[in-house]
Amino acid sequence: MTVDTAHVIRALEQDQIVPVYQPVVSLRTGDITGFEVLARWDSAEHGLVLPHNFISIAEENGLIGNLTHQVMQKAFRAAAGIPQPICFAINISPIQMRYASLPVQVRETADEFAFPLDHLTIEITESALLIDLSRVQKVAATLKDFGCRLSLDDFGTGFSSLRHLQTLPFNDVKIDRSFVNDMTTSHSSRKIVEAVIGLGHSLGLTTVAEGIEVEEQAQILKWLGCERGQGWFYGRAVPHQSLADMTQQASATRPEATPEPRPQPEAQTRLQTSRELRRPVSQPRNPKHHSINRRAT
Ligand SMILES: [Ca+2]
C-alpha cells in the first residue's frame, strides 16, 4: 500500500492512530517490566498499518507532535483503567526533541490521566543527537527532572557513536534488533552485542535487547548479562484490551522496584573465552539458566 500525507492527516482527524503495547521482560525472570508503546494506523481499508508506513510522513509534514500526543493520550487513558502500576516506553521523534515545549506537553498529557512520570521512559534514537545537541540536551534534562527515564533506542545502527551513550543522561540502552537477529549465526554480531552490554554496564545503564524472536537468542542474551528484552518470543504488541490481563501477570512493573542484578564477573569472564564462543549456542551449559517464562500472546 502507498500512504500519502492526505492519509495521515485524515487518520489524525478521524482519531485512527492507536497505540499497541509490546511487553518488555526481565530476561532473568521472564516477568514483564513494562511495555513499549507503538503506533498503528487503524485503517478501515487496510487494517492495522505499521508505523514505517506513516511516521516519516508525519515527521516531514509537521504532524508528528499531534500523532505522538494522540498515542500518548490513549496509552495513558488505557493505563488509568488498570489497577496495577504499569510502565510505558514511548518513542519520541528526533524532531520533537528539539522543542522546549515537549516536556510540558508530556507532563500535561500524563497528568490528565494521573499517569506517574517515573513510570514513563522516553525512547530516542541517536539521530536526535545529530540535529541540535544543545537543545536536545535541555529537553532531555527537563524530562529527567520531571521523573522520566531516558533510553537510547536502536543502538548500533545509523550514526552510532560510543560518545552518544554519554551525551545525554540515559538510563537504558536498547540493542538494535539487527544484531540480535544475526547473533545466532554471526560471530561478529554476537561480539557486538556482548560489547554493547559490557559498555552499557560499565556506564551504569540497563541493557534492553530488541527483536528477540527465538529462545536461543534469549539464552545468549541472558548469558551475556543483558537485563531486559522484547520481541516476538516474549510477546507481540497487543491492543489495550489485552493490557490489563498481561499486567496482572507481571510480578512487578516499576523498574526501580525490580533492580536486576548485574552479571557475575565469573560468568562474563567465562563467556569471553574463545572456546565458549565456538560452542554451538543451542547446547546450554547450565540448565538452570534456561527456565525462560515465555509470554507469547
Ligand atoms: Ca523504540
Side-chain angles (χ1 to χ4, degrees):
M1 69 171 298
T2 304
V3 178
D4 59 26
T5 309
H7 283 123
V8 181
I9 291 172
R10 199 159 56 245
L12 288 167
E13 285 173 352
Q14 297 179 356
D15 207 22
Q16 293 173 339
I17 303 294
V18 298
V20 291
Y21 308 88
Q22 182 167 49
V24 179
V25 306
S26 159
L27 293 179
R28 181 173 57 87
T29 65
D31 289 334
I32 295 173
T33 59
F35 296 85
E36 180 173 356
V37 179
L38 301 163
R40 297 284 188 270
W41 171 25
D42 190 6
S43 161
E45 188 182 352
H46 304 291
L48 278 183
V49 179
L50 294 171
H52 67 263
N53 292 294
F54 57 85
I55 290 291
S56 58
I57 294 172
E59 287 176 332
E60 289 159 13
N61 292 279
L63 303 168
I64 192 68
N66 185 6
L67 189 151
T68 304
H69 181 252
Q70 285 196 14
V71 169
M72 277 197 299
Q73 213 174 25
K74 289 169 186 163
F76 295 150
R77 183 183 295 124
I82 295 171
Q84 292 85 4
I86 190 166
C87 288
F88 283 151
I90 285 189
N91 295 283
I92 294 293
S93 163
I95 294 167
Q96 293 173 275
M97 285 299 291
R98 285 182 296 175
Y99 294 115
S101 57
L102 176 79
V104 171
Q105 286 171 358
V106 170
R107 187 171 66 180
E108 286 179 352
T109 311
D111 285 351
E112 192 181 340
F113 300 97
F115 188 91
L117 283 180
D118 60 358
H119 286 44
L120 182 68
T121 298
I122 302 292
E123 294 194 5
I124 64 169
T125 58
E126 290 168 282
S127 49
L129 310 175
L130 304 173
I131 298 175
D132 188 338
L133 186 56
S134 64
R135 286 167 75 175
V136 171
Q137 283 174 319
K138 283 179 191 157
V139 171
T142 310
L143 286 165
K144 291 275 289 193
D145 285 346
F146 288 172
C148 299
R149 290 173 68 88
L150 206 59
S151 180
L152 183 55
D153 207 3
D154 303 335
F155 187 73
T157 58
F159 301 98
S160 284
S161 161
L162 300 183
R163 181 183 287 184
H164 290 161
L165 285 168
Q166 286 187 303
T167 306
L168 295 182
F170 290 109
N171 301 94
D172 312 323
V173 56
K174 297 190 78 170
I175 305 163
D176 189 72
R177 63 177 57 244
S178 58
F179 299 114
V180 175
N181 283 344
D182 295 344
M183 217 172 39
T184 51
T185 54
S186 162
H187 178 77
S188 59
S189 287
R190 181 166 161 169
K191 291 298 286 181
I192 288 170
V193 170
E194 185 178 357
V196 174
I197 292 169
L199 186 66
H201 290 165
S202 67
L203 295 171
L205 305 176
T206 299
T207 52
V208 185
E210 302 173 317
I212 303 173
E213 295 183 355
V214 295
E215 185 170 12
E216 199 175 351
Q217 293 163 344
Q219 289 172 355
I220 295 172
L221 289 159
K222 278 174 71 177
W223 286 334
L224 295 177
C226 184
E227 285 94 352
R228 293 185 191 165
Q230 63 187 91
W232 294 354
F233 178 66
Y234 289 106
R236 295 175 186 253
V238 298
H240 69 90
Q241 294 92 336
S242 305
L243 202 53
D245 286 346
M246 295 185 76
T247 305
Q248 280 176 353
Q249 294 172 20
S251 62
T253 56
R254 187 176 179 183
E256 293 78 4
T258 57
E260 283 146 352
R262 294 295 188 211
Q264 296 302 308
E266 182 197 359
Q268 277 190 318
T269 304
R270 282 194 296 172
L271 276 165
Q272 287 164 359
T273 65
S274 58
R275 189 175 175 186
E276 280 287 335
L277 291 168
R278 285 199 303 271
R279 185 175 55 77
V281 290
S282 57
Q283 296 174 17
R285 179 181 57 233
N286 185 349
K288 77 179 181 182
H289 287 172
H290 292 262
S291 56
I292 293 172
N293 299 323
R294 185 170 179 166
R295 293 186 183 278
T297 55

